Amino acid sequence: MQTDVLKKKLEGCYVTVPTPFRDVEGFPIDEDALRTYVRFLIDGGLTADNAVFLAGGAAGDFSTMTFEERVRVAEVVVEEVAGRVPVAMGAQTTSTLELVRLAKAAQRIGADFIQVSCPFYFSHTEGDFEEFVREAAEAAPDIGIIIYNTFWTTTNISFAMVERLAEIPNVVGLKWATPRTDAMEFESVTARFSKRFTIIDNNLFFAFSPMPALGARAFEVHLCNFWPQWGLKLVREIGAGNYAEVARMLVEEAMPFYKLWVEIERDFTSGDGYLDKLCMELVGLPSSRCRPPTRDARQRYRAPTLAMMRAIGTPNLVEA
């Protein structure tokens, strides 16, 4: 395994591609729409030099799909990118046996990475999680593993746990978010481990996480799904060290999107990907809801979403 090559592949925009479904009984996966999503991102300028596509993550409805559907979604994305952009396959699960199957499948279909977080529902120990990751690493030694700290649903990964995970050669990425406390867990881990892993900032600290003292090199960017050029500008400004402009972009353009997301989650439905897909519809991409129990937010939130997109300057709106 070429660890340094995989780490380099992770840099840039980490784009969580939603999974589209057809609005018929059972909500089957709409493979044609998924291919359209991927082509839109590539046509928007996302390449191997500036992006990674996550197939079947949380925004991709992994929790409502069968094993076979999860593999197929990743396979479609791998096929459509045709080597032009690295692909990570969502591999979050409550079962070590299923994780091993997902890791082997990802390796078979030609994905570059799998994304793994601590098993949810039960409060697993860090020892449980370490064994969980090691099983996947041994099952698919050619796959890069991205560790995702989903502290809001399960065990929060400690500094000491990150140190132990660093011993596993094919753990190459750390998708990092932490609760905000005076202990500065985000900063301490990022500063200490940015040379060992590619740090993916999942805390929206883009205005300072890439600074040399911390060294994050990748950024979870939901706005890319409907505005890929925004992510490209983010990467350019970070590369130029223009952190004041990055902060402006976050406050004036990204923050309204995330505030609307929080409003929908508070007042109407929960899950992930529903706002991404509504925004994608409003720039002319195929429409889709998330599978239940997440409810269809499109009708109720179309007007406020369109207003938000106009306010932040989203290009190519079809209802402008």
Side-chain angles (χ1 to χ4, degrees):
M1 163 174 283
Q2 296 179 297
T3 301
D4 289 341
V5 172
L6 284 170
K7 287 166 59 180
K8 184 68 177 174
K9 280 186 174 184
L10 265 180
E11 295 181 5
C13 299
Y14 193 71
V15 184
T16 58
V17 182
T19 301
F21 303 104
R22 290 191 284 119
D23 285 317
V24 298
E25 185 177 357
F27 305 107
I29 295 164
D30 187 338
E31 292 190 11
D32 290 340
L34 180 57
R35 292 182 187 277
T36 298
Y37 288 0
V38 172
R39 289 194 298 271
F40 171 80
L41 295 172
I42 292 172
D43 291 346
L46 299 181
T47 70
D49 293 329
N50 53 43
V52 176
F53 295 169
L54 171 63
D61 266 78
F62 84 88
S63 61
T64 67
M65 292 193 290
T66 66
F67 176 89
E68 290 75 18
E69 287 176 322
R70 296 178 70 176
V71 174
R72 181 57 185 159
V73 163
E75 189 172 35
V76 167
V77 174
V78 168
E79 289 173 0
E80 198 60 38
V81 301
R84 291 172 289 180
V85 181
V87 176
M89 173 177 161
Q92 288 149 268
T93 177
T94 58
S95 165
T96 301
L97 297 177
E98 183 173 66
L99 174 61
V100 166
R101 292 178 64 208
L102 287 165
K104 289 181 176 178
Q107 186 170 268
R108 173 180 57 80
I109 67 176
D112 301 277
F113 309 97
I114 56 171
Q115 177 179 284
V116 178
S117 61
C118 191
F120 43 94
Y121 189 79
F122 292 111
S123 296
H124 284 279
T125 67
E126 291 195 331
D128 293 338
F129 184 43
E130 181 178 357
E131 185 175 288
F132 184 75
V133 175
R134 288 188 182 276
E135 290 279 350
E138 292 171 10
D142 295 329
I143 282 284
I145 297 177
I146 301 161
I147 302 297
Y148 184 15
N149 188 28
T150 51
F151 66 86
W152 52 92
T153 64
T154 186
T155 303
N156 186 33
I157 300 173
S158 69
F159 190 100
M161 182 76 256
V162 177
E163 286 188 315
R164 294 198 293 277
L165 294 170
E167 298 170 1
I168 304 171
N170 48 336
V171 175
V172 297
L174 188 62
K175 186 176 176 182
W176 195 237
T178 63
R180 199 69 188 141
T181 71
D182 292 341
M184 299 177 72
E185 289 94 339
F186 182 91
E187 293 90 333
S188 62
V189 166
T190 302
R192 168 65 177 80
F193 293 102
S194 61
K195 289 184 172 60
R196 169 60 184 84
F197 306 111
T198 296
I199 304 291
I200 305 167
D201 180 350
N202 195 53
N203 250 91
L204 295 174
F205 291 161
F206 306 163
F208 75 94
S209 67
M211 290 180 178
L214 296 181
R217 304 300 295 272
F219 314 92
E220 169 124 336
V221 187
H222 280 264
L223 274 71
C224 276
N225 280 315
F226 60 92
W227 189 0
Q229 296 81 10
W230 192 92
L232 294 177
K233 183 175 189 294
L234 175 72
V235 171
R236 287 196 303 270
E237 298 295 349
I238 286 172
N242 192 359
Y243 302 114
E245 173 60 11
V246 173
R248 186 206 64 77
M249 291 172 66
L250 282 170
V251 171
E252 296 183 9
E253 295 161 357
M255 190 167 68
F257 171 86
Y258 286 99
K259 287 178 74 68
L260 181 56
W261 184 352
V262 169
E263 177 188 328
I264 297 171
E265 191 165 79
R266 182 192 65 221
D267 297 340
F268 184 67
T269 194
S270 187
D272 204 338
Y274 45 82
L275 183 54
D276 298 64
K277 289 194 278 191
L278 176 50
C279 291
M280 292 161 78
E281 177 180 325
L282 292 171
V283 296
L285 293 167
S287 177
S288 174
R289 61 165 291 170
C290 295
R291 278 180 174 169
T294 298
R295 290 189 289 162
D296 190 349
R298 289 174 294 177
Q299 191 59 41
R300 178 166 173 170
Y301 286 96
R302 178 172 275 99
T305 300
L306 181 59
M308 177 273 293
M309 295 175 77
R310 284 174 176 157
I312 68 175
T314 309
N316 305 315
L317 287 170
V318 295
E319 297 187 37

